[in-house]
Amino acid sequence: MDKILEAVVMSSYPNNVKQGLVRRVIEAAKQPMDSEQCWSMLELSTKLYLSGDTKYKREVGKEVLEVYGHYHPEEFEEFFNVRFLLSLLQEGYGPLGKRSHYVLDYIQLGLQFVLESPSANSIFSLLRIEVLRKVCERPSPKQCAKISKLLTQHPQCIPTGKHQVLFCQQLIRCIGQFQCVSEGEEDIMEFLEQVNKVSGLLQRIWRTQTSAILPSLKELFTIISSTEEQEAPSNALASVVQFVPLELMDGVIRNLTNDDSITDVQMMTAIGRMIDWVSWPLGKNIDKWIIALLKGLAAVKKFSILIEVTLSKIEKVFSKLLYPIVREGALSVLQYMLLSFQHSHEAFHLLLPHIPRLVASLKKEDSNSATSSLEQLAELIHCMFFRFSGFPDLYEPVLEAVKALPIPNEDRIKHLLGQNAWTSQKNELACFYPRLASKSETGKIGLINLGNTCYMNSIIQSLFMASDFRHSVLNLTEGNSQPLMTKLQWLFAFLEHSQRPAISPESFLSASWPPWFTPGAQQDCSEYLKYLLDRLHEEEKTGKRIYQKLKESSLMSQAVEHHYLKKTLIEKMFGGKMMTKIRCLKCLNVSSREEAFTDLSLAFPPPDRQVRGSTSVLPVEEIGPQFIEPPENPSQLTGSPWIQRKAPMAGDPAAPPMPVETLGFQEPGEAANLLSGNAVGMDAAKDPLSAFGEQACAPKDSRSVPDLINYFLSPERLTAENKYHCEKCASLQDAEKVAELTEGPHYLILTLLRFSFDPRTMKRKKILDNVSIPVVLKLPILVTPEETEEVCWRGRDRAAPGSGFMSVVYDLCSVVVHSGISSESGHYYCYSRECTDTVPHGQPRDGAPKLASDKQLDFEIQWYLFNDTRVSFSSFESVSNVTSFFPKDTAYVLFYRQRPGRQSCLLHEALAEAGRLHGEPSLHKDLMEAISKDNILYLQEQEKEARNRAAYISALPKSPLWWRDFDRDKDDDSSSGGCSPAAGGGGSGSFHGLVF
């Protein structure tokens, strides 16, 4: 009968004809027959099943085996013996080089017919040993799946005792080597099914034998933490973790993170590979295990590992949000990575270029998953905006992308940031500064934030960019008896000459720290600036004079020396004078007091006070710079105590008003007119911003800096409880008080008083009004009649006829921005540029300094954005628009530099002369040596870090480039199917990119 069957199967007849003949043979096999005939049929069916070159032959072999197993059990048991099975498992079946791949299927098929036989236990014992040996040989995913199928159907064959633990460990090692060589979607689906069968076997074993779980996990960690393997273990290992009971998580993570035998490199490698598992599409709870390990590392303060892994992996995690099948887990991991990485903006900034494209892709997908992810992503982005403010140029495209999405309230943001931080102790992260590979392309150097010290960093950078002040500080002689100024000199010198991307101002912070400031808490930068300038001023008054060197080298004339050596450097650079006058409204007696200032604190007018567009009033016989409300009846002017002492004669021309002005973009040929006396009072009745055009970029209802100055200089009525005690009347009287600027500082510092005390909430609140900032400001300065006649021709400005006021022009140099809603919180950063008087070459023959054109001063000078360690190029447009894009980011402290004029020409000449003779300041020997040594040390640190990073990076898994996900989304908009970024589908290429 075996010969007949073989002839039929091997014949060339059609399969349907063959099948009829085979049916007859199979029916005959159900009848009793001798043992020899049975053996012959069993040998033939075994040959067909194991060596058949077509599916039909294997199916015939299977049918015959099943018939003989059912109807001839004794003969089948005798045939299916231990020796035969051992031979199959160890030697295989068929000729050498063409061994059958169906041995395990054959054994699984035959086992069902010998389960009750006396030889069953012997067969089970054999298989327990052989399956262990098989997995130690690292079979393919397909063979491993067959072993798993066999053991799942016949658990009696699973190794027991110590062999069972070893089997689990070796099976995990097999999974670690699984690779899908094909990119076809069908092949990938088959691969995933094979992996699930293998990991499902582990789940079955662990469910009945929990003692095997921990040794298995230990083996898993050994695999993923290995730095010796040339190829990274397969992401299929993610399928193992999903079956570990979550109740074991805390204990497992605690043991791992407290194991001193695990090196940092091993831990970094392991957590890095686990994070790669977010791309495994069928895993459950993988994100929970990744987050648990990250939290465990934070608990034992392994911050260096967390930082390195986050920065190297966060972009890849972000890219997986394109795929609906893994989006939920990837988003969970991304949320924790970003919300916990609070010491630096680096991780968030790595994602900025890719956020708009991802948001556009999710909007296009238009699914519930995409909508939910968009809302969560927007919440996450606003948390990052809140935590790392001060990057308007970088954030604008992202803000534009998410502007239509919900914005979380501040309580929600603080809650998310508070519950996910690595540590509540900020000083524990003080040493982990942002990783800066090289110096900024701007050539400028940043300042390291030492724990809410951005208020100091912004002020230091603004002072550094005040070039006249910087040069004077750098020109200090050694041993000047000014310890704080010396520390500032060292800090400026390092900012000028260091090779580091950013330096630490720790030494200067400790020396300039106001004693009432709370360590680690945010402070008011204006308060710090006042304290710093006052300290420097008082220190110099008792020490060596800053211009001693100029005196010895006879760079200054005796008159200039006599005038300026009386002043400290702070007075020369930032000092101005103001006259406060109070007039009794009864006797018209005027009392006055002149006082010095280093900054003007500008309050905001009440909402109902319209400063802009009002007329000015003449104080006594001089033209005042103030704006006050216009009188309803013009005849009231003659009776006002602020008007001329005698009534004007009929026909007398009205005195021209003298408001604070802004200047706009001017061609070089127009500069002289702007500084001429005819221009001082022009267009005073117009909007102060009208000349400035679009450069202010302010809405119609917003305030401007001239508005605030005019309000500051406008008369104040002293009545009721604020009545003035007039010495002449010897009683309290109604009065009016007015402030007049009598000497303009070289650098004008304006502080916008944005913080006020709210008696209802008993807290300081912030005024978030947008204030437009002119790039050029004209400020009226009160002068004496003698000074009015004496015109400094070099500056080409002159007093308004008969007014007693002179127009002084200021150029904007720095803007310190506060981001936040409270002075006790938020963040500071600053915009700065260097303004100078003269051009390097081409001095005219008469020796007068050649002024840079207005165009160059206003618009061609490069702006920079200083935000702690980060320095980038910027523009005045960004300065003007920052509050429009980010309402909580508002200008707070402004630095203006005076253009050469009557009052300042002596100082300008002295600075220009010193600059021509000496060029850049030359530093003393000790300072130059310190900078040189630190630059060498920095290079050595860079070399060491590069070696350490190379050792770590070489151990990282070599995964495909994450950005291909974005490129694929951009280039293949027409794809459809199960996993595309746009609609949950995609071609085979996108699926393969997801899994592997």
Side-chain angles (χ1 to χ4, degrees), residues 564-595:
Y564 280 98
L565 287 183
K566 291 181 180 179
K567 293 186 175 184
T568 66
L569 177 60
I570 300 304
E571 288 177 311
K572 295 169 190 171
M573 294 294 167
F574 306 103
K577 291 184 179 178
M578 184 186 343
M579 181 75 72
T580 303
K581 297 179 179 180
I582 302 178
R583 181 189 296 276
C584 175
L585 295 182
K586 182 178 181 181
C587 67
L588 304 185
N589 181 56
V590 177
S591 63
S592 61
R593 183 181 77 255
E594 188 175 53
E595 54 188 348

Side-chain angles (χ1 to χ4, degrees), residues 692-815:
F692 195 67
E694 297 179 357
Q695 293 300 323
C697 302
K700 293 181 180 179
D701 58 346
S702 69
R703 301 287 187 183
S704 69
V705 169
D707 288 342
L708 302 188
I709 297 177
N710 288 324
Y711 180 62
F712 175 83
L713 297 175
S714 63
E716 177 187 358
R717 183 66 66 96
L718 304 178
T719 60
E721 295 180 357
N722 292 326
K723 281 188 177 183
Y724 166 68
H725 185 274
C726 177
E727 294 182 357
K728 188 173 181 180
C729 297
S731 61
L732 293 175
Q733 298 292 338
D734 289 346
E736 280 189 335
K737 180 173 73 172
V738 68
E740 297 168 339
L741 301 179
T742 57
E743 182 178 322
H746 184 63
Y747 283 102
L748 173 66
I749 301 176
L750 303 176
T751 301
L752 312 187
L753 297 179
R754 290 189 173 276
F755 302 108
S756 60
F757 183 76
D758 188 345
R760 293 178 301 171
T761 61
M762 301 301 290
K763 293 181 180 179
R764 293 182 74 192
K765 65 177 183 179
K766 180 179 177 181
I767 300 172
L768 295 173
D769 294 4
N770 191 6
V771 176
S772 61
I773 305 169
V775 71
V776 181
L777 184 70
K778 292 181 73 174
L779 200 64
I781 303 296
L782 180 67
V783 293
T784 63
E786 294 79 10
E787 290 175 320
T788 304
E789 296 175 3
E790 179 188 353
V791 176
C792 182
W793 60 271
R794 297 176 182 83
R796 291 195 223 138
D797 65 351
R798 92 185 125 93
S803 70
F805 280 88
M806 180 171 293
S807 175
V808 178
V809 181
Y810 282 90
D811 295 294
L812 182 66
C813 335
S814 294
V815 179

Side-chain angles (χ1 to χ4, degrees), residues 366-386:
D366 193 25
S367 65
N368 290 336
S369 168
T371 302
S372 174
S373 298
L374 272 174
E375 292 177 356
Q376 294 180 67
L377 184 63
E379 183 177 71
L380 191 57
I381 289 170
H382 283 289
C383 285
M384 295 297 100
F385 283 167
F386 181 88

Side-chain angles (χ1 to χ4, degrees), residues 822-840:
S822 167
S823 61
E824 290 83 19
S825 63
H827 179 64
Y828 289 99
Y829 57 95
C830 74
Y831 293 92
S832 290
R833 63 172 183 166
E834 290 195 53
C835 295
T836 55
D837 294 333
T838 57
V839 292

